[in-house]
Amino acid sequence: MTGAIPGEQPPEQRPTGEPMPRQRREPAGPIALHVDDRSGSSVITARAAASFEPVGRSVATARSFVRDTLQGWGFADIVDDAVVLTSELVTNAVVHAGTEAEVLCLRTEPGVRIEVSDRYPEREVPLQSAHAVMGSPDREGGRGLQLCAALASRWGVEYTSTHKNVWFQLDLPERALGTRTAGPVLPIDLLPTADGRVRVAVLQIDRKGSVSAWNEDAEELFGYAADEVVGKPLTDLAAWPHTPGTGTGIAEALQLSRWEGSYGVRRADGRVTPVYASHLRVRDTGGEPSTVCLLVRDHERAVLQTPSRVPAGDQGGADGPSADPFEVFIGSPAPDDLDGLLQRTVERARDMLDGDSAFLLLATDDETELEVRASTGLPSARQRFARVPVEAGPGRYGSARMPAVHEDLTSVPGAVPLLAGTGMRSVVTVPLKVEGRLTGSLGVAAEGPGRYSNEEALRLQFAADRIALAVESARLGELERLRRGSLSFLVEASDLLAGTLDRDQTLALMAQMTVPTLATWCAVYTIADPASDPYLSYVLHEDEELIDGIKSLLSKIPTPEPLLTPGAQVWPLPGEVAHQAALRSSMRSLGLAGGPAQQLTASIGPTLATASAVGGETVVLPLVARNRVIGMLTLGKPTDEHFRQEILELAEDLSRRAALALDNARLYSERTAISQALQRSLLPPGLPHIDGVEVDVIYRAAGEGNEVGGDFYDLFPIGDGAYGFAIGDVCGTGPNAAAVTGLARHALRLLAREGLSGPAVLQRLNSAILDEGDRSRFLTLLYGELRPQANGGAEMKVVCAGHPLPLRLRQDGTVETAAEPQPLLGVIEDLELYEETVTLDPGDVLLCVTDGVTERREGTRMLGDDGLADVLTTCTGLTAGAVAARILRAVERFASDAPSDDMAILAMRVPGLQQD
């Protein structure tokens, strides 16, 4: 039936005398919705709309949409009828018409109007004179309009050239105020258990997820005053049973029109209180949305919990009543996410056997352990992701592979480790199996003994067999999503770790990548060498205020034993020590007589907070690189929380990458330290003090991490009041050039102190460079001998072997060259060099630079000798240090790029007569 309403006939086939549903014709274009035309003077007070794709599962999604919308509006009395009609009409659109369906819910004063539109443009518009034929009740389809006529207060069909719109109105029943739903009279011993006074915490959460209202019962239940929590995100308080990347989180739940379920709330003392909550999304008169949350303690959930009922909307679909045992047990629609499916499973199992609690565990890949994934009636935050062995003891009752019934757990302590200390006495457990393979375990427990027998075990096993395949399929889907997320996480982590060779930054990255993605807190221990003890190098917690407390705790306890064995090892010591410290602190505080409450809180607060932060599971992963343990990565959870196996496997992958990055950073740091030590040995240890002459040097080596390059300088005493000075430039930069730099500087000192003249010193240095063979490099060098004069001047004898010429700045501001160019070193064997004499008068400056200064470029421009001379003319009256600094600033400002060549600036000045 493409586009036609089931049960209708073409106009020429309609028999006469049959009633015809009310129809309206609209002009071509968008459908016009006129409330007054259908329901008198109704006023629309709320509106909700959704579109559904032309696939079979859209029918169930549309039913859920209408049910949630009407329950959120408080129209529980007409929800079932609305769901039945919506199911039929959406089935007509997406199954028979094969088009997208649009569902619009309008709340009015009398009740609700729902419109279902499809987009089938080829539907023939019926004639007004024709009569409709309703479908037969015995047919599979064709009941849509019959149901509208039978259930709706008003209904109708509209056509345009592009749409068909079927609408129906359901009015709220008129009855006196009083009981809407009721249960049977029960004996007192069968009533739900509650404390003497039931406290209902009322919270209001604003659009941003922050607490805006907090009543007195909330203060009593959770220990926070209103002014302590108002304005803080609810996520800071809620211990939500949710794994990142899977399931529905609390932020998503707060956006739903209505939500009901269990989670935990962290108290002021650090403990988690399991609660049952009912959330309702509302808006104020200004249109601002917020969520009202009603919370009671989990064992008092009967105060808020909606009574379970058979989903009526699932029994009137076009395909007839559902007979699928899975749908019967879980309900329809089934949750799409694994966490939702598991939670609904344990709740239905508990209700089916009238138990006080229920739990569901999933098997690990090797089927040796079971991991708690959902529970109800138990402290879920404490149990979530806890692991128990599949074979807990000998015999069938100690194995999760077989059904088991325990009439009284007090007679067999430890038979079900998960229930230790919970007060449960009797329990029935059954396995979940897929194709003969153990995939999980489902259990229901009660506080009284002897509650269960083999009959209940058979009923629970029947239900487990119905859901096992769906659970395994959802689990595999979750694993696939988690693995994809893990690959993306590891790729990003590898990029970040590969981007730095700094040890401290690598440690910080390791911690920041694990918190809070993998753990609540972490600590990194490093081991310098096999003979050293582990050292606590870095600590991080998602709450910065707790870092110091955790660091203090870890520094006072023995470090974990470094093991080469891969994988995560449980380390219980931090949690045990923190618990004992908190207990001692609390006992000491209780011994304070008459102390104000503020002092009590201040004295025990940090210890309790630290105990809560590290009170959960703590694991240690070795950091192994190049077959050596170089450290340990410690991950921790807060009180009563455990790691899931997939997270530990991801952490193990991360630890391998982090260990290699940390070891690379260590090797780089060691080699850098060696390189810097060798480079510093090539520089002069310091400048000697020369009476009557100011001397200053500025040196810049090109390249990251280089302290010495191809440029060098030296100033050293020769004897008899004379000083040798040199400034040179080896061809190239980097370590190879630095090797020739060391040869030249040390040779100059040795030869000059032998009493040789300047030309003789350079000739012998030239021979030494040529003796290096293939490692030799040509060298430009300015060498001179300085002798201060008694009259206040200074005499210099200089040899300029291929080097930029020294410049002399006179006291009147004129600049001139102070030497003649001569051949450079390292090219030819027989050099003919000579020395020149330069006399500096008081106030004169002699400036010597390398070509990194004069060849500074900006595009096609170059500073050059003339540019350097122009800068030097502005340095009259400056000290030697100020002259060198001004030259460097001029070079740096000449071009925006970083210098690509080494630079050395040597300035010598004879103070003026007016100076001391």
Side-chain angles (χ1 to χ4, degrees):
M1 296 184 180
T2 56
I5 301 175
E8 288 190 336
Q9 304 288 338
E12 64 273 16
Q13 298 177 1
R14 292 183 185 134
T16 59
E18 294 292 337
M20 178 179 176
R22 180 166 65 89
Q23 302 175 357
R24 297 179 55 202
R25 288 190 178 185
E26 296 287 352
I31 298 176
L33 304 178
H34 303 290
V35 180
D36 294 341
D37 292 344
R38 303 170 194 162
S39 55
S41 58
S42 299
V43 177
I44 297 175
T45 58
R47 176 188 303 263
S51 298
F52 303 95
E53 298 178 354
V55 293
R57 64 176 180 272
S58 295
V59 179
T61 308
R63 290 196 297 261
S64 178
F65 163 69
V66 171
R67 181 182 297 279
D68 291 344
T69 300
L70 269 58
Q71 285 181 343
W73 289 348
F75 288 175
D77 291 335
I78 58 176
V79 164
D80 293 336
D81 290 345
V83 169
V84 169
L85 295 177
T86 302
S87 179
E88 285 290 340
L89 298 180
V90 173
T91 300
N92 292 341
V94 303
V95 175
H96 299 299
T99 73
E100 181 183 82
E102 296 178 354
V103 179
L104 174 64
C105 300
L106 301 173
R107 185 177 67 185
T108 63
E109 294 177 356
V112 66
R113 187 175 76 252
I114 297 177
E115 302 182 356
V116 179
S117 303
D118 65 53
R119 299 176 179 271
Y120 192 73
E122 298 179 2
R123 176 68 171 92
E124 180 181 357
V125 179
L127 299 176
Q128 289 288 352
S129 60
H131 298 280
V133 176
M134 297 276 186
S136 170
D138 296 330
R139 295 179 56 186
E140 179 182 358
R143 299 188 299 268
L145 298 185
Q146 279 188 316
L147 287 173
C148 286
L151 300 178
S153 304
R154 303 175 186 84
W155 66 279
V157 184
E158 297 177 344
Y159 296 99
T160 71
S161 60
T162 58
H163 291 75
K164 179 176 91 273
N165 183 40
V166 182
W167 62 271
F168 60 86
Q169 175 89 23
L170 294 174
D171 294 340
L172 291 173
E174 295 182 1
R175 60 186 177 186
L177 297 177
T179 302
R180 286 179 175 264
T181 60
V185 177
L186 295 176
I188 295 178
D189 58 347
L190 296 182
L191 295 176
T193 302
D195 292 343
R197 175 187 173 185
V198 177
R199 297 188 180 274
V200 180
V202 181
L203 286 63
Q204 192 155 1
I205 312 301
D206 61 20
R207 178 198 295 267
K208 298 179 179 179
S210 300
V211 178
S212 59
W214 183 270
N215 72 339
E216 293 181 0
D217 280 356
E219 295 182 8
E220 292 293 331
L221 285 175
F222 309 125
Y224 299 101
D227 56 357
E228 294 179 306
V229 294
V230 170
K232 292 185 177 180
L234 181 60
T235 52
D236 290 353
L237 304 176
W240 190 262
H242 169 62
T243 299
T246 61
T248 300
I250 188 170
E252 291 83 358
L254 291 174
Q255 299 299 318
L256 300 177
S257 61
R258 182 178 289 277
W259 183 91
E260 189 174 317
S262 300
Y263 54 90
V265 175
R266 295 186 178 92
R267 292 173 46 85
D269 59 7
R271 297 182 179 180
V272 174
T273 298
V275 299
Y276 192 84
S278 176
H279 297 178
L280 177 64
R281 187 81 163 161
V282 299
R283 64 185 179 119
D284 60 18
T285 55
E288 181 68 16
S290 61
T291 303
V292 177
C293 304
L294 306 181
L295 289 78
V296 297
R297 281 169 286 206
D298 193 66
H299 66 274
E300 298 171 340
R301 63 168 55 204
V303 176
L304 299 180
Q305 188 172 25
T306 302
S308 59
R309 59 181 177 181
V310 177
D314 292 309
Q315 299 183 1
D319 297 331
S322 172
D324 184 0
F326 171 78
E327 294 286 344
V328 172
F329 180 70
I330 293 297
S332 180
D336 294 331
D337 61 295
L338 177 63
D339 289 337
L341 177 60
L342 300 183
Q343 191 62 35
R344 185 178 292 187
T345 297
V346 297
E347 291 175 357
R348 294 294 171 90
R350 178 202 59 192
D351 296 341
M352 183 179 72
L353 298 187
D354 193 24
D356 297 311
S357 64
F359 51 88
L360 193 150
L361 303 88
L362 295 183
T364 56
D365 292 339
D366 57 4
E367 297 184 24
T368 59
E369 288 186 314
L370 295 168
E371 189 176 63
V372 180
R373 291 301 303 270
S375 64
T376 181
L378 297 174
S380 56
R382 174 173 65 87
Q383 303 295 347
R384 188 167 170 81
F385 300 125
R387 289 176 294 278
V388 297
V390 170
E391 307 293 342
R396 58 166 295 185
Y397 294 105
S399 173
R401 303 182 187 275
M402 299 291 291
V405 176
H406 294 277
E407 296 183 352
D408 192 349
L409 290 177
T410 58
S411 61
V412 280
V416 184
L418 188 64
L419 300 179
T422 61
M424 300 296 159
R425 296 282 297 276
S426 54
V427 61
V428 54
T429 61
V430 296
L432 276 68
K433 293 185 177 181
V434 175
E435 298 180 350
R437 182 173 59 87
L438 180 69
T439 61
S441 177
L442 177 63
V444 177
E447 294 179 353
R451 289 280 297 275
Y452 302 117
S453 63
N454 288 338
E455 181 181 352
E456 283 79 12
L458 289 175
R459 292 177 60 196
L460 189 61
Q461 185 66 70
F462 180 81
D465 293 341
R466 303 287 78 78
I467 66 168
L469 185 59
V471 169
E472 180 66 5
S473 177
R475 186 185 75 88
L476 293 176
E478 181 193 64
L479 286 178
E480 180 63 22
R481 291 190 298 271
L482 187 61
R483 283 166 183 161
R484 290 181 181 179
S486 299
L487 289 176
S488 176
F489 172 78
L490 290 174
V491 168
E492 183 178 357
S494 299
D495 288 343
L496 290 173
L497 291 171
T500 179
L501 287 172
D502 182 82
R503 175 183 175 277
D504 293 337
Q505 189 173 1
T506 302
L507 291 172
L509 283 175
M510 290 170 57
Q512 291 166 7
M513 285 185 292
T514 56
V515 176
T517 304
L518 304 181
T520 307
W521 65 272
C522 84
V524 182
Y525 291 86
T526 56
I527 303 175
D529 53 71
S532 302
D533 294 329
Y535 173 76
L536 182 61
S537 299
Y538 203 92
V539 176
L540 184 65
H541 190 280
E542 60 182 7
D543 185 353
E544 294 183 357
E545 296 181 357
L546 299 176
I547 294 177
D548 291 339
I550 297 176
K551 187 181 299 184
S552 175
L553 171 69
L554 295 178
S555 62
K556 296 176 182 177
I557 63 177
T559 58
E561 186 70 22
L563 300 174
L564 192 60
T565 307
Q569 305 292 329
V570 177
W571 186 32
L573 188 59
E576 295 173 357
V577 173
H579 176 74
Q580 294 172 1
L583 182 61
R584 289 194 300 269
S585 179
S586 300
M587 294 177 64
R588 287 196 302 268
S589 300
L590 292 174
L592 298 176
Q598 291 81 358
Q599 292 183 0
L600 270 175
T601 303
S603 62
I604 69 175
T607 303
L608 291 177
T610 302
S612 175
V614 302
E617 188 174 39
T618 302
V619 297
V620 178
L621 297 102
L623 297 175
V624 181
R626 299 175 176 90
N627 296 322
R628 187 174 71 87
V629 179
I630 64 170
M632 291 168 291
L633 178 63
T634 304
L635 306 180
K637 287 281 191 178
T639 299
D640 298 336
E641 292 193 20
H642 298 262
F643 289 98
R644 59 182 304 176
Q645 187 62 33
E646 292 82 0
I647 296 297
L648 293 179
E649 292 173 359
L650 180 58
E652 186 177 353
D653 286 339
L654 176 64
S655 68
R656 287 195 292 266
R657 289 165 170 79
L660 188 59
L662 185 61
D663 199 46
N664 289 339
R666 177 188 62 82
L667 293 174
Y668 177 78
S669 299
E670 291 178 356
R671 293 180 182 180
T672 300
I674 294 172
S675 174
Q676 291 175 346
L678 292 175
Q679 290 184 62
R680 292 190 190 101
S681 68
L682 302 179
L683 294 174
L687 296 178
H689 175 72
I690 304 177
D691 292 335
V693 179
E694 297 175 0
V695 180
D696 205 343
V697 174
I698 294 179
Y699 183 83
R700 296 287 187 273
E704 184 179 358
N706 291 331
E707 295 191 21
V708 177
D711 292 7
F712 68 96
Y713 69 93
D714 203 357
L715 180 65
F716 54 91
I718 297 176
D720 298 332
Y723 295 86
F725 67 90
I727 184 169
D729 184 1
V730 178
C731 174
T733 60
N736 293 331
V740 180
T741 295
L743 171 65
R745 195 179 69 81
H746 292 294
L748 282 174
R749 288 199 172 207
L750 290 173
L751 296 173
R753 288 172 176 170
E754 290 294 325
L756 300 176
S757 63
V761 169
L762 269 57
Q763 287 169 353
R764 295 196 180 187
L765 175 59
N766 180 64
S767 299
I769 294 174
L770 293 175
D771 289 342
E772 291 293 308
D774 294 338
R775 295 182 298 177
S776 66
R777 291 169 174 259
F778 63 80
L779 168 68
T780 68
L781 180 64
L782 172 66
Y783 173 75
E785 294 181 2
L786 167 66
R787 291 179 180 273
Q789 302 297 310
N791 60 0
E795 181 183 86
M796 298 182 180
K797 294 181 179 180
V798 297
V799 180
C800 187
H803 198 77
L805 300 178
L807 297 180
R808 176 180 180 180
L809 171 64
R810 294 186 179 274
Q811 201 168 17
D812 59 3
T814 59
V815 175
E816 59 186 19
T817 59
E820 297 292 334
Q822 300 184 54
L824 52 77
L825 309 181
V827 178
I828 58 177
E829 294 186 2
D830 298 327
L831 285 180
E832 294 184 2
L833 302 174
Y834 58 91
E835 61 183 7
E836 302 173 74
T837 301
V838 179
T839 301
L840 296 183
D841 297 327
D844 289 354
V845 175
L846 185 69
L847 177 67
C848 309
V849 299
T850 57
D851 60 5
V853 174
T854 56
E855 294 180 2
R856 177 71 163 154
R857 292 180 180 275
E858 174 69 19
T860 58
R861 298 186 307 119
M862 186 172 69
L863 180 62
D865 296 334
D866 294 338
L868 179 62
D870 292 340
V871 177
L872 186 58
T873 58
T874 65
C875 298
T876 305
L878 299 181
T879 63
V883 171
R886 179 168 293 185
I887 297 299
L888 179 64
R889 284 197 303 270
V891 173
E892 291 174 342
R893 292 174 181 173
F894 187 79
S896 58
D897 297 336
S900 59
D901 195 5
D902 304 326
M903 289 190 299
I905 303 171
L906 173 62
M908 293 176 286
R909 177 178 180 270
V910 178
L913 296 177
Q914 71 277 12
Q915 299 179 358
D916 294 335

